[in-house]
Structure formats: C-alpha cells, structure tokens
Amino acid sequence: MASPGPAFLLAQLGAHAARRFAERVAELDLTPPQAGLLRSVAREPGLSQQALAAHLGTPPTRVVALVDGLEERGLVERRRNLADRRLHALHLTEAGAALLREIGRVGAAHEDALLAALALLRREQLRGLLSRVVEEQRLTEGVHPGYRTLRDTRASDRETPGPVVR
Amino acid sequence: MASPGPAFLLAQLGAHAARRFAERVAELDLTPPQAGLLRSVAREPGLSQQALAAHLGTPPTRVVALVDGLEERGLVERRRNLADRRLHALHLTEAGAALLREIGRVGAAHEDALLAALALLRREQLRGLLSRVVEEQRLTEGVHPGYRTLRDTRASDRETPGPVVR
DNA sequence: TATTGTTATACTCTATAACTATA
DNA sequence: TATAGTTATAGAGTATAACAATA
C-alpha cells in the first residue's frame, strides 16, 4: 500500500484545518460560513445579497439565512437601496468590524498551531506552492468551496476555460 | 485585506480536492467514504467492524451502513468468526480488489489534474511539507478526517499528547 | 415579464439511542 | 453483565421550489 500522495494529503489536512478553525471560531459563536461572510462583506461592502451569493458560488437563499443570523446579532446590516428598492446592500456594523478583527486573531493562532511542524521559511514555501495551485485551479481568492454546490461548480466549469481535466 | 495564509489555502484546496475526487469516484458509483473503506479493508483485512470504526474514528453504525451497501454490490464480505460469533471480519472480494485498483487509477488522474500547476519536483516538495504537518498533527495515515466526529476528535485529543494548541 | 429577496419544503448525511444476538 | 452488530430515530446543514415585492 503506497503512502498517500500530495492530493490525498491536501484533502486530509484541509479537512483537519477546517475542523480546527471551526472549533476556534465557535468560541466567538460563529460558524466558518458566518466568518467567511463577514470577511467577504468587509472585502467589498455594499454588495447586494444576490451579488454576494454569486461571488461565493452559493444559492441566494443561503445568504439570506446567514445574513438573518448575523443581522439579529447586530454584526451586519441590510441597507435598502432607494433607487431600486428590491436591493439590499450589505455592510458591516462597527460590532461586525470588531468581531472580524477577533476572527483575524483567531485565524493567526490557528495557523500557528496547525503549521507548528514548519519553520516560517517553510510555511512561506508552502504558501507559495498552494497559491500556485489555487490560481491554476481557478479558485476564487479567499472563498472556501464549501459555499459552492456541485452543480454550480460544474456550471462555472462550462462557462470558463477552467483547469484541464483529463 | 491580506491575501490568504497557508492555513486558509489548505482548507480551500483541501475542500476543492475532496470535491473533485468525489466527482471522479462517482463515475465508479462510489462515494469517497466508500472508497476509503475499501482502501482501509485492503490495508488490513479481517478487522471487525468495531475495530475498523475505531481506526477510522467514526461511530460503528456508520461502518454498518457503508458495509451494507458495499456487500450488496459484492465488493466486500462479512465473514463470521466461528470462535466468537458476534464478530464479523471484513474482507474484500475479488471484485472489490479490482475496483480498488480502479480507484487507484482514478486517484492518480485526479492528482495529476489537481497539481497541474506544479512540476514533479514541486509536487514532491509539497508532499514532503504536508506529510510533516500531518505527522505533527497526529493524523492517522490514510484516514480522511471526514470520518471523525468533532466529539471524537476532542476525546482523542484528551487521551493523547496531541499537537500544541494555544 | 423579469429580478431581488424571502419563506416553505425536502433531502442527504450523520450521530445518538434503543434493541438483538452472542458471550 | 458486557460486547458486536443492527435498526430506528432525530438533528444539522443545505438545496430546490414556491412566493411576494419591486421594477
């Protein structure tokens, strides 16, 4: 039985990393999708829910549910567009921005613990290799594929050149 | 907004890799957990279902369900232990072994497509870095954490030294 | 008639708990 | 009484479909 190749190690470690991160953000009463949404809203404030859903590659209904929970807690707000009252622009509240900074701290601690086996130079080396793969695979920067449905993934493969699949 | 660090890239690529692999093994009418079970049974034939569940870090009921499906298709078989008739030793059938070889081919194609951005030397470099992290994090070789529940993960963290968590 | 957002529903996966048989 | 395996049940997470408001 051959020892696992890099593709399996990626899946294995990726799931492990995601789980550990989930445990850490749970201390902030957040799930990873919620944390990701906060991050995305901060990255480009004012997007409509549909636009955000498209960026994340998720059905709009999921954004509604996520925003519902975060809005109740005063972390994000929906601002109705006066010109087109169907649109709800998403913005972080001050509390949301503060929590996002907390998420950043949690993420740094997570990374440090996860990569304890590697010195800083090696981590940078790893980051370089991974980002090359991310780019070639046409993954959206900063978006976890957990948002993306199988069907949506295939659809976007048809629209764009995409990575070579043999 | 800082570009993602290696921990996020790992989670992102890991989820992507798992999804792509799922698409590929679906062509063999298998899910990744089923493929993983076949692989585990091949690695150590004759384990009881409980022993296999412990190795995978999953509740035994899940193994029952997985084996049910695979046994119906004639890929694995339960052999009753005559000395202790409660025990069901798991073995691959000839068809199961053949399908496992197919899985190996699918996995190789998957890896090649996933890591198209990297030359062979770089892939080996990546494998080296990842396996160091896998070892330090005390992950079981060849077992995807998807089998492992959150509660079980924490329990095993308490029993073993485990990686340093700050 | 088309689009944004929402609500309602159903489905998949998995864990937990109850149960059977063997010891 | 304890253990291996099984069956039954329930919960979380997510997608799909139907609907309301606005354009």
Side-chain angles (χ1 to χ4, degrees):
Chain A
M1 205 41 46
S3 78
F8 180 82
L9 293 175
L10 268 177
Q12 184 186 23
L13 264 177
H16 174 69
R19 181 156 299 188
R20 281 289 153 94
F21 181 71
E23 289 172 11
R24 287 179 181 268
V25 292
E27 293 165 15
L28 304 175
D29 273 309
L30 289 174
T31 63
Q34 288 176 320
L37 189 142
L38 290 177
R39 181 176 156 155
S40 290
V41 170
R43 205 187 80 110
E44 194 172 354
L47 284 185
S48 73
Q49 296 184 175
Q50 297 268 356
L52 181 58
H55 178 247
L56 296 177
T58 192
T61 59
R62 197 169 165 194
V63 171
V64 171
L66 283 170
V67 171
D68 279 351
L70 297 171
E71 190 176 43
E72 270 178 25
R73 289 166 62 183
L75 299 171
V76 303
E77 56 181 7
R78 294 185 235 233
R79 294 192 198 151
R80 199 139 204 178
N81 185 323
L82 300 181
D84 183 341
R85 290 160 41 79
R86 291 174 303 183
L87 293 156
H88 286 175
L90 297 174
H91 294 267
L92 252 48
T93 63
E94 191 41 59
L99 189 58
L100 186 58
R101 287 189 290 274
E102 282 299 315
I103 294 170
R105 278 188 276 277
V106 161
H110 162 65
E111 178 159 304
D112 205 49
L114 182 73
L115 302 180
L118 305 179
L120 281 167
L121 187 66
R122 297 294 180 194
R123 296 183 196 184
E124 185 50 39
Q125 206 174 3
L126 176 63
R127 203 191 56 73
L129 292 168
L130 295 178
S131 54
R132 282 166 65 183
V133 175
V134 164
E135 188 176 7
E136 190 277 335
Q137 293 286 305
R138 305 283 197 280
L139 300 180
T140 304
E141 174 170 312
V143 175
H144 190 284
Y147 287 109
R148 190 149 243 124
T149 70
L150 223 46
R151 173 178 270 174
D152 286 350
T153 303
R154 283 166 182 159
S156 73
D157 283 352
R158 275 185 234 108
E159 289 155 18
T160 63
V164 181
V165 175
R166 284 159 225 171
Chain B
M1 203 44 40
S3 78
F8 180 82
L9 293 175
L10 268 177
Q12 183 186 24
L13 264 178
H16 174 68
R19 181 155 298 188
R20 281 289 154 94
F21 180 71
E23 290 171 12
R24 285 179 184 268
V25 291
E27 293 165 15
L28 305 175
D29 272 309
L30 289 174
T31 63
Q34 289 177 320
L37 190 141
L38 289 177
R39 181 177 155 155
S40 290
V41 170
R43 206 187 77 109
E44 194 173 351
L47 284 185
S48 72
Q49 295 183 178
Q50 297 268 358
L52 181 58
H55 178 249
L56 297 176
T58 190
T61 59
R62 197 168 164 195
V63 171
V64 170
L66 284 170
V67 171
D68 278 352
L70 296 172
E71 191 176 42
E72 270 177 24
R73 289 165 62 183
L75 301 171
V76 302
E77 56 181 6
R78 293 185 238 235
R79 295 192 196 150
R80 199 140 204 180
N81 185 325
L82 299 180
D84 183 341
R85 288 161 43 77
R86 291 174 305 183
L87 292 157
H88 285 176
L90 298 175
H91 293 268
L92 251 50
T93 63
E94 191 41 59
L99 189 56
L100 186 58
R101 288 190 288 275
E102 281 300 314
I103 294 170
R105 278 189 275 277
V106 161
H110 162 65
E111 178 161 301
D112 206 49
L114 182 72
L115 302 180
L118 305 179
L120 280 166
L121 187 66
R122 297 293 181 196
R123 296 184 196 185
E124 186 49 38
Q125 205 173 3
L126 176 63
R127 204 190 56 73
L129 292 168
L130 295 178
S131 53
R132 282 166 65 183
V133 175
V134 163
E135 188 175 7
E136 190 276 336
Q137 294 286 303
R138 306 282 197 281
L139 300 180
T140 304
E141 172 170 314
V143 175
H144 190 283
Y147 287 109
R148 189 149 244 125
T149 70
L150 221 48
R151 171 178 271 176
D152 285 348
T153 303
R154 282 168 183 159
S156 73
D157 284 351
R158 276 185 233 107
E159 289 155 20
T160 62
V164 181
V165 177
R166 282 155 230 177

